[in-house]
Amino acid sequence: MVNRTPHTPDALTRRVTHPRYPRSNGYDARWTIDNQMGPHALWLLEWLAPALGLDALPPGARVLDLGCGRAMTSIFLAREYDLQVTAADLWVDPDDNAVRLAEAGVADRVLPVRAEAHDLPFAEGSFDAIVSIDAYQYFGTDDLYLPSLARLLKPGGRIGVVVPALSEEPAGVEPPEHLRPWWEPAFWCFHTAGWWRRHWTRSGAVQVETADWLEDGWRDWLRWCDVVTEESADDLHVRMAGRSAEMLRVDEGRSLGFVRVVGRRA
């Protein structure tokens, strides 16, 4: 049985403090739990940041946060890197995100919008960078998608994504045998770093600078699932995190993890 007795604030903070993600450690643990929609988005963004060159962007540079969810990543981009962020999501009401942005003190630097990934209402060359955390896999496997997205970048601008991934591409049409009890059709959008490198390279839209695997990323994923399972007040999120935790424990890093991909527009 899952222990649903909430930890004290100090104990909870210790559980989510991670030596690999010092910037993320500065965010309230309860806030991250209440606003999460999957793997720890701030951890994943912090892993992406150096490859994407966020520290090198000038203050006020324009960034599209595509599939921002409840805008945690958008708040992080504004606070940590002093960027002007467009927080785009299809499922989360921009009015709800506007409240979170105001509470976080970044309403003047983050604009929440409702947008579908295939119908983005922005002009060519609008952004210095594009970021997508745990969302790009749902639309970006389309061979035609990246060229339409990359046109929104200024010349020389970068796009960087982090996606759930596989260490090896499954042969044939069956999932890895040990994952069969948990496998869902949507998991076929999980691919390897090599697959993503080839997919982006052959699009001709960007020069791929990074496509790599997060070492022990599955442990971070499992650690966060356990926290959400025990601490979240949302029963749906508890069930989803619990199921993911079961799968990750069985897998033990054999197949599941995270990949980051960064490309530069010519």
Side-chain angles (χ1 to χ4, degrees), residues 191-243:
H191 293 286
T192 64
W195 187 96
W196 282 107
R197 179 181 291 276
R198 182 175 62 253
H199 183 58
W200 280 25
T201 298
R202 68 186 182 187
S203 76
V206 297
Q207 178 183 352
V208 179
E209 297 181 332
T210 302
D212 60 359
W213 176 263
L214 177 57
E215 190 68 28
D216 280 338
W218 74 275
R219 295 184 187 277
D220 294 348
W221 194 352
L222 175 58
R223 178 177 179 174
W224 182 242
C225 285
D226 284 342
V227 169
V228 172
T229 300
E230 297 174 17
E231 298 286 343
S232 177
D234 187 313
D235 287 340
L236 175 60
H237 288 168
V238 167
R239 292 195 300 271
M240 292 174 62
R243 182 171 174 82

Side-chain angles (χ1 to χ4, degrees), residues 16 24 32 36 38-45 72 133 220 224 258:
V16 300
S24 300
T32 60
Q36 63 82 35
H40 198 308
L42 300 189
W43 290 355
L44 298 180
L45 177 54
M72 285 201 302
I133 303 297
D220 294 348
W224 182 242
F258 297 102

Side-chain angles (χ1 to χ4, degrees), residues 66-86:
L66 183 58
C68 69
R70 295 192 173 112
M72 285 201 302
T73 46
S74 302
I75 292 166
F76 190 91
L77 289 165
R79 279 184 170 179
E80 302 298 322
Y81 302 101
D82 197 16
L83 302 171
Q84 288 288 331
V85 184
T86 299

Side-chain angles (χ1 to χ4, degrees), residues 166 170 175-176 179-188 190 243 247 256:
L166 296 174
L179 295 180
R180 189 183 297 273
W182 295 274
W183 195 264
E184 300 175 9
F187 291 177
W188 289 114
F190 296 175
R243 182 171 174 82
M247 178 176 66
L256 295 166

